[in-house]
């Protein structure tokens, strides 16, 4: 029997043949709730049909009254409220959990007044407290609805992710293919919005085999296909996403799915077409979406439709049209009681304003929304916002601020992840990077340690040496002098404008006072370490109201490391040279400075470059048959990136290659503990496969 074309189960058929309605109804009461939890709605409808011929609907048991209501899309929230109370009176915890989930789903399905979800949220928490008085399927559904409320009602992506993970664990424990598929589809959204690209890749790998399985209900399969297709599009595989969604929309059961799910499917399909610049086909689909018949009162779904139309217009090069749809989406979203449309669409508005040349408006909007995005877990949006702000600063000719935003974008996403881009060409980030860091392609721009009279070490704690004399704390002329040097280095050391330095170092002072403070700090930094009558080494350069460190006279370890690493990797690395360069990384950049965002961002950027250098060294060692030389560097890399699965994989593979399976297993246990305690995630398939290989080597 297939869920897609359900037939009466053999046991039910025998009851009908034997004319035993009591047994038929008893078994349907037992099994029907499980079918509902798994969203096997056609199966429920198929088995309810004979009941209506056997018995007066008014005299049906509570569970069958629930199933009858649950497959009728016109059933209102009040009906589930009555059923919840009825089940509670009957002490039927399983039925009460089902009514609770259905009530919340009815509010969600209405697309309006989503504040009503709060009362169902309280009931969901009460049902979850029943522990083993409800089945795993019931608990899984309760967690699913809790996550959707956290997501849609409050925009709390981080909390929703936790609920969806618990949902998936219970789906796997109950061996429900339908709920496994649905939980994977749900997880794709928060993982994407939180910018966890590697985790998304792993999730897609495990989710893809669940697509098109006969044991997965049509509703759950459609949701998973829709989510997978959107994720593929965001990964640059829009053609594959388009193919999947078109196949889904062509299925015979597609018109019988809930209108909201049809709308989401068409909206995702519109995105895949827009990403591929199939503008004519996208326009035709946009008209189909608007004619789908979503009632005017379903504000959330109308907000979603206008969000999709805004994205398509932006990608089609029509920013004014994108703005109109985006603002309509915000209005509908506010009417629905959900913050999600506003959280999603403000990025589109800012990007449209940039395309229209309204740079100041876009800058103000993005600056306003970065903190709310980060607070709610929308790290993907916050990172893109910093990239857009970097682009704005490039257009304004303020390269230092552009670099600062670029490095803040890097600091927001997980280590070793690629910077995201959305609604922009695939080369957008690379082009921006070239404009911000033009010196990176020019090779050597900072003097080596042996030749420089001024040495500044920033990996670990700040250490300044002038003519081989170490400058101690007592030798600095105040904390602002040291802060100035740190800031100059964090911003790249070249042509840092007075305006930027004043804004960062004295944000609360008025313009004239900040300028005076800066002049004093520059003068004191120039004089630092020069108490003798000997001429001052001109290592600090001031020109046209900008400040630079002399690349000829200064060796700054972090700046030298960055420039040399780019040069070495771009011109063919050798093991000895790359290893010597990695040895410069004695600790994180200004490791004890935790408050200034520009320092934290720079620290994250340099750490990512170091890890990239470590993996590059490993690749070279592998190629030249010298893999053991890379092992200490892989170990050191894990000190700075303890959640980087790729490093654990490389280290395990190295130990296996050298014939040390026990060491490989120790690395696996380290990875397992670090990922569990630090991120609350399990090891990926690749690590598990290496562990199995190590165990099999004994």
């Amino acid at each position: 029997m297939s869920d897609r074309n359900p037939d009466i189960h053999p046991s039910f058929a025998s009851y009908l043949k034997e004319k035993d309605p009591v047994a038929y109804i008893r078994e349907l009461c037992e099994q029907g709730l499980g079918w509902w939890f798994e969203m096997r709605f056609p199966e429920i409808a198929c088995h309810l049909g004979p009941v209506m011929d056997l018995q007066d609907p008014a005299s049906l048991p509570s569970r069958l009254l629930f199933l009858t209501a649950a497959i009728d899309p016109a059933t209102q929230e009040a009906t589930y409220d009555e059923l919840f109370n009825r089940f509670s009176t009957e002490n039927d915890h399983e039925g009460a959990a089902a009514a609770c989930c259905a009530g919340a789903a009815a509010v969600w399905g209405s697309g309006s007044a989503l504040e009503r979800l709060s009362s169902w949220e309280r009931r969901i928490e009460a049902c979850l407290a029943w522990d083993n008085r409800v089945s795993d399927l019931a608990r899984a559904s309760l967690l699913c609805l809790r996550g959707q409320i956290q997501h849609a009602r409050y925009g709390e992506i981080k909390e929703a992710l936790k609920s969806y993970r618990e949902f998936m664990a219970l789906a796997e424990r109950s061996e429900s293919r339908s709920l496994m598929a649905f939980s994977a589809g749900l997880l794709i959204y928060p993982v994407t919005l939180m910018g966890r690209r590697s985790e998304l890749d792993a999730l897609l790998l495990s989710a893809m085999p669940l697509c098109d399985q006969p044991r997965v209900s049509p509703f759950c399969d459609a949701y998973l296909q829709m989510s997978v297709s959107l994720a593929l599009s965001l990964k640059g595989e829009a053609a594959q996403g388009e193919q999947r969604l078109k196949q889904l929309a062509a299925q015979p059961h597609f018109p019988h799915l809930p209108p909201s799910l049809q709308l989401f499917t068409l909206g995702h399909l519109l995105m895949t077409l827009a990403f591929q610049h199939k503008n004519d086909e996208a326009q035709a689909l946009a008209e189909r979406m608007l004619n789908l018949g979503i009632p005017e009162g379903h504000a959330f779904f109308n907000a979603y439709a206008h969000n999709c139309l805004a994205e398509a217009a932006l990608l089609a090069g029509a920013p004014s049209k994108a703005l109109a749809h985006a603002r309509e989406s915000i209005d509908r979203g506010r009417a629905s009681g959900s913050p999600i449309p506003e959280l999603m669409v403000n990025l589109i508005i800012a990007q449209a304003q940039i395309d229209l040349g309204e740079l100041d408006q876009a800058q103000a909007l993005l600056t306003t929304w970065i903190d709310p995005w980060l607070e709610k877990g929308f790290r993907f949006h916050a990172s893109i916002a910093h990239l857009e702000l970097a682009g704005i600063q490039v257009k304004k000719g303020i390269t230092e601020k552009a670099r600062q935003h670029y490095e803040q974008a890097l600091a927001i996403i997980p280590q070793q992840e690629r910077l995201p881009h959305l609604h922009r060409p695939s080369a957008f980030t690379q082009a921006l990077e070239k404009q911000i860091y033009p010196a990176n392609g020019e090779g050597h721009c900072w003097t080596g340690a042996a030749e420089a009279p001024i040495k500044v070490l920033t990996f670990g704690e700040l250490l300044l040496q002038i003519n081989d004399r170490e400058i101690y704390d007592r030798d600095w002329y105040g904390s602002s002098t040291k802060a100035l040097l740190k800031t100059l280095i964090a911003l790249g050391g070249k042509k840092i404008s007075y305006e930027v330095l004043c804004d960062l170092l004295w944000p609360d002072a008025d313009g004239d006072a900040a300028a005076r403070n800066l002049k004093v700090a520059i003068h004191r930094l120039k004089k630092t370490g020069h108490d003798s009558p000997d001429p001052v080494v001109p290592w600090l350069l001031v020109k046209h109201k900008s400040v630079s460190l002399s690349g000829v006279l200064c060796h700054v370890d972090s700046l030298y490391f960055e420039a040399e690493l780019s040069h070495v990797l771009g011109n063919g690395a050798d093991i000895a040279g790359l290893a010597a360069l990695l040895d410069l990384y004695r600790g994180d950049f200004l490791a004890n400075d935790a408050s200034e965002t520009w320092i934290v961002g720079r620290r994250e950027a340099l750490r990512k470059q170091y890890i990239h250098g470590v993996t590059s060294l490993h690749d070279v060692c592998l190629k030249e048959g010298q893999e053991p030389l890379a092992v200490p560097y892989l170990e050191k890399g894990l000190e700075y990136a303890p959640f980087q699965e790729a490093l654990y994989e490389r280290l395990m593979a190295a130990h296996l290659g050298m014939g040390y399976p026990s060491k490989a297993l120790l690395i696996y246990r380290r990875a397992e503990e670090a990922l569990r305690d630090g991120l609350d995630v399990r090891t990926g398939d690749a690590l598990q496969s290496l562990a199995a290989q190590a165990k099999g080597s004994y």
Side-chain angles (χ1 to χ4, degrees), residues 363-615:
Q363 182 175 336
L365 183 63
L366 291 168
T367 303
T368 298
W369 275 92
I370 284 173
D371 284 345
W373 279 324
L374 289 173
E375 181 185 346
K376 296 289 188 181
F378 287 69
R379 303 184 77 82
F380 183 76
H381 283 62
S383 183
I384 291 172
H386 275 298
L387 287 179
E388 295 289 348
L389 285 166
I392 290 172
Q393 298 305 324
V394 166
K395 287 182 172 69
K396 291 182 174 182
I398 309 175
T399 307
E400 304 86 16
K401 280 191 175 180
R403 186 181 295 117
Q404 181 185 348
H405 282 297
Y406 183 88
E407 292 179 356
Q408 284 177 301
L410 274 172
I412 286 170
I413 60 172
Q415 289 186 22
Q416 283 293 92
E417 298 283 9
R418 294 192 300 276
L419 280 169
H421 61 84
L422 187 63
H423 313 135
R424 298 301 190 207
S426 56
F428 172 78
T429 306
Q430 288 180 326
L432 186 60
E433 188 176 34
K434 286 180 181 177
Q435 291 173 298
I436 294 172
Y437 299 107
N440 280 1
E442 297 170 13
H444 312 268
C445 55
W446 294 96
T447 301
E451 303 83 15
I454 309 294
K455 299 179 182 66
V456 189
L457 305 183
T458 58
F459 287 131
E461 294 187 4
L462 180 70
L463 176 64
L464 173 62
Q465 290 182 335
I466 299 178
N467 293 323
D468 295 325
R469 175 195 166 195
E470 185 171 338
I471 306 302
Y472 296 98
D473 283 344
R474 64 177 179 271
D475 300 318
W476 288 91
Y477 295 104
S479 60
S480 62
T481 310
K482 186 183 286 189
L484 172 60
L485 178 58
K486 291 178 180 179
T487 303
L488 289 170
I489 295 169
L491 297 182
K494 297 289 187 181
K495 296 181 180 178
I496 317 300
S497 72
Y498 275 30
E499 178 188 357
V500 170
L501 293 170
C502 288
D503 286 347
L504 294 179
L505 296 172
W506 297 279
D508 299 323
D510 64 49
D512 290 339
R516 285 194 299 272
N517 291 340
L518 178 59
K519 286 181 180 179
V520 170
I522 290 171
H523 175 74
R524 288 177 173 176
L525 185 54
K526 285 181 176 180
K527 294 284 290 180
T528 297
H530 290 281
D531 297 325
S532 68
D534 296 333
V536 173
V537 178
W539 62 290
L540 199 64
L541 309 176
V542 180
K543 187 177 181 181
H544 301 312
K545 289 197 171 182
S546 68
V547 187
S548 301
L549 301 174
S550 169
V552 176
L553 299 175
C554 292
H555 168 77
V556 183
D557 59 353
S558 54
L559 297 174
Y560 179 83
F561 169 85
E562 181 181 50
E564 286 293 310
L565 185 64
S566 176
H567 177 75
V568 168
L569 294 180
N571 292 276
D574 67 277
I575 294 175
L578 187 49
L581 193 56
L582 293 173
D583 289 340
L584 292 176
Y585 199 98
R586 293 176 295 274
D588 278 331
F589 177 76
L590 298 176
N592 295 327
D593 290 67
S595 57
E596 294 84 357
T597 57
W598 58 94
I599 289 178
V600 173
R602 187 70 174 149
R603 180 182 304 140
E604 292 292 335
L606 285 164
R607 187 188 297 147
K608 289 175 191 289
Q609 292 175 45
Y610 172 74
I611 298 301
H612 179 52
V614 168
T615 56

Side-chain angles (χ1 to χ4, degrees), residues 1-10 40 43 47 214-215:
M1 186 199 72
S2 167
D3 283 340
R4 299 172 194 284
N5 185 23
D7 298 316
I8 296 286
H9 287 213
R40 292 155 63 179
E43 205 162 339
H47 286 76
R215 290 173 58 195

Side-chain angles (χ1 to χ4, degrees), residues 206-258:
S206 61
M208 299 280 257
L210 294 169
C211 294
D212 291 319
Q213 282 207 13
R215 290 173 58 195
V216 176
S217 69
F219 183 95
C220 295
D221 179 68
Y223 197 92
L224 177 60
Q225 295 274 19
M226 176 186 73
S227 304
V228 165
S229 299
L230 180 64
L232 289 170
S233 298
L234 292 173
K235 280 165 53 69
E237 301 170 29
Q240 189 179 343
E242 176 194 355
Q243 182 183 4
R244 283 178 169 275
L245 290 169
K246 284 183 173 177
Q247 288 173 350
L248 172 60
Q251 292 290 323
H253 63 264
F254 183 75
H256 304 292
L257 293 172

Side-chain angles (χ1 to χ4, degrees), residues 226-372:
M226 176 186 73
S227 304
V228 165
S229 299
L230 180 64
L232 289 170
S233 298
L234 292 173
K235 280 165 53 69
E237 301 170 29
Q240 189 179 343
E242 176 194 355
Q243 182 183 4
R244 283 178 169 275
L245 290 169
K246 284 183 173 177
Q247 288 173 350
L248 172 60
Q251 292 290 323
H253 63 264
F254 183 75
H256 304 292
L257 293 172
S260 58
L261 190 53
Q262 294 182 51
L263 174 68
F264 290 150
T265 301
L266 297 181
H268 288 17
L269 178 56
L270 179 63
M271 290 301 94
T272 67
L273 296 172
F275 284 138
Q276 299 174 81
H277 303 289
K278 295 184 176 180
N279 295 337
D280 291 341
E281 195 174 348
Q283 181 59 38
L285 183 60
E287 292 173 6
R288 179 182 172 189
M289 284 176 61
L290 291 173
N291 294 325
L292 192 60
I294 301 294
E296 185 69 22
H298 289 206
F300 183 86
F301 303 119
N302 280 298
Y304 170 78
H306 283 286
N307 187 337
C308 292
L309 294 169
E311 288 187 275
L314 187 64
L315 287 162
S320 296
K321 188 175 180 181
L323 276 178
H325 282 300
R327 286 168 177 154
E328 186 68 23
S329 178
I330 286 179
D331 290 343
R332 301 296 181 94
R334 288 172 178 166
S336 75
S338 170
I340 287 292
E342 197 163 3
L343 282 162
M344 297 292 290
V345 87
N346 270 300
L347 179 63
I348 301 173
I349 291 177
Q351 290 174 318
Q353 289 172 331
I354 291 169
D355 290 353
L356 290 168
E358 300 170 358
L359 301 185
D360 290 339
Q361 295 93 316
Q363 182 175 336
L365 183 63
L366 291 168
T367 303
T368 298
W369 275 92
I370 284 173
D371 284 345

Side-chain angles (χ1 to χ4, degrees), residues 30-84:
E30 287 296 319
Q31 294 197 41
L33 287 188
W35 297 344
W36 187 83
F37 288 131
E38 292 190 283
M39 293 170 255
R40 292 155 63 179
F41 306 128
E43 205 162 339
I44 296 172
C46 174
H47 286 76
L48 273 177
V51 172
M52 301 308 164
D53 300 330
L54 292 170
Q55 190 166 338
D56 177 10
S59 62
L60 290 174
S62 299
R63 288 195 175 191
L64 295 197
L65 286 174
F66 167 77
L67 292 174
T68 304
I71 62 168
D72 181 358
T75 302
Q76 299 295 307
E77 175 194 4
T79 300
Y80 297 116
D81 184 68
E82 293 172 8
L83 283 165
F84 177 83

